[in-house]
């Protein structure tokens, strides 16, 4: 019989992991890792999650309050579930959404189904993005990126420079970034 290890996470400094930690300990977790990090933080910056994953062995049970504690996105969570399943590590959420140990032989099927659904979702998102870009390209819509500086501002930059103003002074007077000012001046020099 494996160990029961817990992991708790909350996003902001105003929140606390205390209730999650208490619930995980009440559920019988021998050890609970916890941290305050944003849900958008990468695994490399989630030191406690990495530590938790490193101590898990085949037959262990990883408990979390909710599935979203395991990753930044649905795809990442499902991939992590799949990886843990491959290593023989069970996952259970306190909210009852998933319990790979209770699923028994059905666990790989459920995780596989979730993985398949996430791949379909990712594919649909990519397809919609491509269609949107293609539509904007056909209709002359904005494809993103910063809009080009107006001719009036470019003329002002060139005039100020000809009058001997420094790049910083031009920046203060026009509100343009130094890189933009440099680009405008260099483009004029090339012409």
């Amino acid at each position: 019989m494996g160990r029961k290890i817990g992991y708790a996470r909350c996003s902001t400094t105003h929140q606390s992991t205390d209730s999650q930690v208490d619930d995980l300990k009440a559920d019988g977790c021998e050890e609970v890792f916890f941290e305050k990090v944003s849900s958008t933080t990468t695994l490399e910056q989630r030191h406690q999650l990495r530590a938790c994953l490193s101590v898990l062995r085949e037959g262990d049970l990883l408990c979390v309050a909710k599935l979203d504690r395991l990753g930044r996105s649905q795809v990442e969570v499902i991939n992590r579930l799949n990886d843990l399943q491959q290593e023989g590590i069970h996952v259970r959420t306190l909210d009852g959404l998933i319990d790979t140990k209770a699923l028994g032989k059905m666990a790989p099927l459920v995780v596989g189904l979730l993985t398949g659904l996430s791949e379909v979702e990712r594919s649909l998102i990519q397809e919609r993005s491509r269609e949107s870009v293609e539509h904007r390209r056909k209709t002359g819509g904005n494809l993103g990126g910063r809009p080009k500086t107006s001719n009036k501002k470019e003329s002002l930059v060139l005039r100020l420079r000809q009058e001997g103003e420094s790049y910083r002074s031009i920046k203060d007077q026009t509100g343009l970034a130094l890189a933009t000012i440099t680009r405008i001046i260099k483009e004029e020099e090339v012409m």
Side-chain angles (χ1 to χ4, degrees):
M1 171 112 177
R3 301 166 301 154
K4 192 186 269 192
I5 306 291
Y7 172 73
R9 179 193 60 80
C10 67
S11 295
T12 67
T13 53
H14 302 312
Q15 295 176 329
S16 171
T17 57
D18 293 349
S19 65
Q20 289 179 55
V21 171
D22 290 344
D23 291 346
L24 290 165
K25 285 182 178 176
D27 195 57
C29 290
E30 299 171 24
E31 190 174 0
V32 178
F33 295 84
F34 57 95
E35 59 193 336
K36 287 184 182 185
V37 292
S38 166
S39 59
T40 61
T41 305
T42 62
L43 180 61
E44 291 73 38
Q45 296 168 315
R46 290 184 176 199
H47 305 294
Q48 291 300 306
L49 178 56
R50 284 196 355 245
C52 177
L53 295 172
S54 72
V55 302
L56 292 168
R57 303 289 172 253
E58 185 174 352
D60 285 351
L61 175 64
L62 172 61
C63 291
V64 290
K66 293 190 232 172
L67 214 46
D68 67 353
R69 303 298 168 208
L70 293 178
R72 298 183 301 162
S73 65
Q74 179 183 3
V75 172
E76 187 176 327
V77 169
I78 291 169
N79 288 340
R80 182 143 306 123
L81 267 178
N82 188 50
D83 294 345
L84 292 167
Q85 181 74 31
Q86 297 298 319
E87 296 171 28
I89 298 165
H90 303 289
V91 177
R92 186 167 63 78
T93 58
L94 296 180
D95 66 4
L97 181 65
I98 196 158
D99 183 346
T100 59
K101 189 172 187 175
L103 287 169
K105 293 181 180 180
M106 295 297 287
L109 175 66
V110 171
V111 172
L113 182 62
L114 290 172
T115 305
L117 289 172
S118 72
E119 287 174 14
V120 168
E121 180 186 24
R122 186 171 44 241
S123 172
L124 290 172
I125 290 169
Q126 290 170 343
E127 184 178 329
R128 284 193 299 267
S129 295
R130 279 192 302 272
E131 288 172 357
S132 176
V133 168
E134 191 57 38
H135 174 73
R136 284 181 279 152
R137 195 172 273 139
K138 285 179 184 174
T139 60
N142 185 356
L143 293 176
R146 291 187 179 166
K148 190 166 172 13
T149 309
S150 71
N151 290 336
K152 190 175 180 180
K153 275 224 176 162
E154 286 187 12
S155 297
L156 177 60
V157 167
L158 295 171
R159 183 176 57 79
L160 290 171
R161 187 64 183 155
Q162 287 170 350
E163 292 173 2
E165 295 287 340
S166 70
Y167 281 52
R168 293 242 182 251
S169 174
I170 296 170
K171 174 184 183 281
D172 293 340
Q173 293 180 54
T174 63
L176 294 173
L178 287 174
T180 303
I181 294 166
T182 304
R183 177 188 54 80
I184 293 169
I185 293 169
K186 288 205 190 299
E187 284 177 357
E188 180 65 20
E189 288 171 358
V190 169
M191 294 177 145

